[in-house]
Amino acid sequence: MIKKIIVFAGLILLTAALCTAEIWKAPDQEKAKERAKEVVPFIKEYKDDCQITRRMSLIDAGISIKNVQDVYFLLDSPVIKKREDHYEPVRFAHKRHAALTKDCTKCHHFRPKDENALETTRCSACHQDSFNPDHPERIGLKAAYHQQCMKCHQEEAKGPVDCKGCHLRNVPDHKNLVKLPDNADPFQVTAECLRCHDTQAEDMLKTAHWLWKGPSPYTTGHRKDIMHGKGTTALNNY
Amino acid sequence: MQLSRRSFFKIMGAAGASVTALPPSANAWKSKAPPDPYGCLVDLTRCVGCRKCEEACAEVNGLPTPERPNCQCIVFDKKRRPDDKAYTVVNRYFTGKLDQFDKPLPTYAKVQCMHCQDPACVSACIVGALTKDETGAVRYDATKCIGCRYCMVACPFEIPAYEYHDPITPRVIKCSFCYDRISKKGGLPGCATICPTEALTFGKRETIVKVAQKRLEENPGKYIDHVYGEKEVGGTSWLYISSVPFEKVNLPVLSDKPSPKLSETIQHSLFSYLWSPLALFGVLGALMYKSNKNQGEPENKGGY
């Protein structure tokens, strides 16, 4: 009897401890998330220096890669979210990019006109909402990110230039999209998926998963085959 | 046939009266362009061919999802044009430009209604189904449209499409400049909202022209020194700047004269106060009267 009570009390204590225990979160990730939510005051005027002058003034101020504090940012802002929300924000490895390029001015291309301001400012201070009638030539934050990243990735022939290379797609909540009866059979489920994903289904029909034959560049002895597979020349080899 | 002194004066009098009835001011053609329209600048050097504008356009305007929305490969193999299912499409052109590895560089060009300042389609529409709005949008009213498709013939950019598959209630389909959105304060067209690289810049046309010219000035050698649409066919609300010649990305070479100027001048000077039909029938009547008087009497005596 006493044993039972002890076990019971132990179980209760264990569940209580589990409920109160906090889920561990990566501190720098939380920091990046908080930082991405901030909207800083708009910098209206900037100092129109050329890149060489910028580099010189950064050397004069003693700023180099060693001063990079933040490891990574989430390239996200309420300024962008206000207009559209189709993709997950990009996780930008700030320190890594700084170490690779060894040149702060590639991104920090201008500085505020205010002499007291910091030499390097965050992107979202100058680039905010698109098509600001007061500053029509200033591009918005989303465009600034895309132009900067894609231009450099193309020039250096390094880093992704397609959407999914940097972004995860914002997958819409399928809870309301999928309409299935209770205890649906497998055919009903497949048909429901195909209702929206018809192009993916057609694409799948052209793959080796469906045809059981296709090019096999990674199979020894069949590297040059274009119609290799169970459908033609191969056998199951369990 | 010999003109008597009396009939000569009759004819000349009638002709003179009809000429004086024509007010001289009716000849001068006046632009009906709105004073402060919106505009949109397409910078072809910034476009990366992601086709998000197509997707956003379809979503905003309730059109079917574009063909292979995430594909940037086989969709570009054929040249597309706006049709009854899409207000806008992006095409890819290889114009002979090469990158540093000698790989051909593509140029992407978005096509949609240019929303001309003096639209030929509005001028050609015989029922007023197409109108030029204060915002700069060329608007279409399907309830007024009779399906004559004159707009499709008149358009210098060959933009309006037609729902040929619908025998009962076919409509003309073309970009609406997202009128419902831009007429509200701070509203943007669907395509300009989503463009990731700001290849599309939306704003007042006046500002946009200045932005375009500034970009040409500040990047010498990058762009062709011309803002397409600033003066073409009297100016359009959609403007293009590019690093490759415009005719290579299927933007036709057009004169600076507004398309409706010639046709409307002819129509309005010929038919103002119906003077030309009046003069024609006046002259014909006079001739008939004269010839009847001269020849009618002896023939009637012949027993007709």
Side-chain angles (χ1 to χ4, degrees), chain A:
Chain A
M1 185 66 196
I2 295 163
K3 232 181 189 178
K4 266 186 185 175
I5 291 169
I6 289 168
V7 169
F8 192 65
L11 270 174
I12 288 174
L13 276 172
L14 193 70
T15 44
L18 276 174
C19 287
T20 50
E22 267 184 39
I23 304 157
W24 182 82
K25 285 172 182 170
D28 53 347
Q29 191 177 349
E30 290 308 302
K31 202 177 130 197
K33 271 185 190 168
E34 285 305 311
R35 201 186 147 91
K37 279 181 200 158
E38 293 166 16
V39 179
V40 289
F42 184 61
I43 292 170
K44 282 180 188 159
E45 285 181 282
Y46 62 92
K47 209 167 157 195
D48 194 5
D49 286 338
C50 70
Q51 206 180 12
I52 296 163
T53 322
R54 280 287 293 145
R55 253 179 232 155
M56 293 306 289
S57 55
L58 279 179
I59 292 169
D60 289 347
I63 296 170
S64 68
I65 321 163
K66 285 173 196 130
N67 299 70
V68 176
Q69 298 284 325
D70 301 284
V71 178
Y72 86 96
F73 298 127
L74 279 178
L75 301 190
D76 193 13
S77 169
V79 177
I80 299 176
K81 284 271 189 293
K82 187 171 81 178
R83 297 272 183 218
E84 57 112 356
D85 191 9
H86 285 74
Y87 285 93
E88 296 274 333
V90 172
R91 286 179 48 160
F92 175 66
H94 183 223
K95 209 165 190 171
R96 194 175 145 77
H97 276 84
L100 278 171
T101 57
K102 298 187 187 70
D103 182 1
C104 304
T105 62
K106 278 212 161 162
C107 298
H108 296 280
H109 54 140
F110 291 130
R111 59 154 294 141
K113 208 163 202 173
D114 180 14
E115 292 298 330
N116 299 323
L118 283 172
E119 192 68 43
T120 54
T121 336
R122 57 198 283 177
C123 309
S124 63
C126 296
H127 298 282
Q128 295 200 343
D129 203 5
S130 309
F131 321 130
N132 184 346
D134 301 326
H135 299 273
E137 77 293 338
R138 189 86 62 92
I139 56 172
L141 183 59
K142 186 173 66 170
Y145 283 149
H146 280 109
Q147 281 192 23
Q148 182 67 50
C149 297
M150 292 176 82
K151 190 177 156 238
C152 209
H153 287 185
Q154 262 159 0
E155 277 174 5
E156 303 291 325
K158 211 172 184 185
V161 283
D162 57 330
C163 308
K164 284 174 186 162
C166 302
H167 291 277
L168 284 174
R169 182 125 199 167
N170 247 354
V171 181
D173 190 2
H174 278 58
K175 211 186 271 173
N176 300 322
L177 293 173
V178 177
K179 289 183 184 70
L180 275 175
D182 293 337
N183 298 324
D185 66 51
F187 295 103
Q188 279 175 315
V189 177
T190 310
E192 180 61 14
C193 296
L194 291 180
R195 190 163 59 85
C196 299
H197 298 282
D198 51 340
T199 37
Q200 283 90 335
E202 269 168 38
D203 286 347
M204 195 265 170
L205 295 182
K206 289 170 200 143
T207 64
H209 299 290
W210 180 261
L211 297 169
W212 289 15
K213 60 187 178 189
S216 51
Y218 304 114
T219 312
T220 319
H222 297 280
R223 286 180 206 280
K224 289 184 179 170
D225 287 11
I226 53 162
M227 277 301 175
H228 186 57
K230 282 195 290 187
T232 48
T233 49
L235 282 173
N236 269 346
N237 185 18
Y238 298 126

Side-chain angles (χ1 to χ4, degrees), chain B residues 5 11 30-31 82 165 213 220 226 261 278 298:
Chain B
R5 185 185 154 80
I11 294 167
K30 261 189 204 142
S31 166
H165 62 271
Q213 280 163 348
H226 179 67
K261 189 174 177 181
L278 280 178

Side-chain angles (χ1 to χ4, degrees), chain B:
Chain B
M1 189 179 91
Q2 203 189 350
L3 276 178
S4 69
R5 185 185 154 80
R6 182 178 287 257
S7 54
F8 175 77
F9 278 124
K10 264 184 199 162
I11 294 167
M12 290 315 286
S18 44
V19 169
T20 47
L22 169 74
S25 62
N27 276 329
W29 181 83
K30 261 189 204 142
S31 166
K32 289 186 273 296
D36 191 20
Y38 284 107
C40 200
L41 175 70
V42 187
D43 189 334
L44 299 186
T45 63
R46 288 184 181 181
C47 181
V48 293
C50 69
R51 297 177 60 226
K52 290 285 161 236
C53 48
E54 288 182 29
E55 206 180 328
C57 175
E59 197 184 317
V60 164
N61 294 298
L63 299 166
T65 316
E67 175 195 358
R68 293 178 174 269
N70 296 319
C71 167
Q72 292 169 43
C73 41
I74 59 163
V75 167
F76 288 130
D77 286 350
K78 59 176 192 285
K79 295 283 166 284
R80 298 175 302 149
R81 41 166 289 131
D83 56 16
D84 58 321
K85 287 177 195 72
Y87 289 167
T88 183
V89 289
V90 179
N91 279 322
R92 183 181 62 187
Y93 300 91
F94 287 105
T95 53
K97 261 178 49 166
L98 301 172
D99 69 358
Q100 54 195 7
F101 312 109
D102 282 348
K103 220 175 92 189
L105 268 179
T107 305
Y108 301 96
K110 180 184 183 295
V111 202
Q112 76 294 311
C113 171
M114 299 286 280
H115 297 276
C116 308
Q117 285 288 75
D118 283 297
C121 55
V122 172
S123 175
C125 184
I126 51 173
V127 288
L130 287 160
T131 45
K132 177 80 177 168
D133 190 81
E134 283 300 302
T135 55
V138 175
R139 297 179 68 192
Y140 171 69
D141 183 353
T143 57
K144 285 186 186 165
C145 180
I146 55 167
C148 68
R149 307 193 295 284
Y150 282 3
C151 49
M152 297 169 68
V153 182
C155 177
F157 303 98
E158 299 175 3
I159 291 300
Y162 197 64
E163 290 181 321
Y164 286 108
H165 62 271
D166 185 350
I168 313 292
T169 52
R171 290 170 303 166
V172 167
I173 299 290
K174 70 161 205 72
C175 160
S176 62
F177 210 169
C178 283
Y179 169 79
D180 296 334
R181 291 160 64 93
I182 65 166
S183 54
K184 285 180 201 126
K185 200 178 176 293
L188 299 175
C191 50
T193 316
I194 205 152
C195 183
T197 56
E198 227 165 273
L200 307 175
T201 311
F202 177 79
K204 287 284 178 193
R205 186 174 183 269
E206 210 180 326
T207 327
I208 291 300
V209 171
K210 273 185 206 145
V211 168
Q213 280 163 348
K214 203 173 172 202
R215 251 183 241 174
L216 298 189
E217 262 169 45
E218 285 178 357
N219 301 284
K222 188 181 176 187
Y223 294 100
I224 300 276
D225 189 17
H226 179 67
V227 180
Y228 188 92
E230 189 190 353
K231 295 203 175 78
E232 268 78 6
V233 290
T236 56
S237 284
W238 277 70
L239 306 155
Y240 283 76
I241 50 175
S242 158
S243 59
V244 295
F246 293 102
E247 58 270 26
K248 284 198 177 170
V249 291
N250 208 15
L251 289 165
V253 182
L254 294 166
S255 87
D256 290 355
K257 276 185 196 142
S259 315
K261 189 174 177 181
L262 180 67
S263 56
E264 280 183 10
T265 308
I266 293 172
Q267 292 274 325
H268 291 178
S269 49
L270 265 182
F271 292 102
S272 60
Y273 302 102
L274 290 177
W275 74 266
S276 54
L278 280 178
L280 177 69
F281 289 122
V283 171
L284 284 176
L287 283 173
M288 276 167 70
Y289 176 74
K290 231 199 82 54
S291 53
N292 268 345
K293 203 176 177 189
N294 285 350
Q295 297 159 12
E297 280 175 30
E299 278 183 21
N300 277 346
K301 276 177 189 168
Y304 285 101

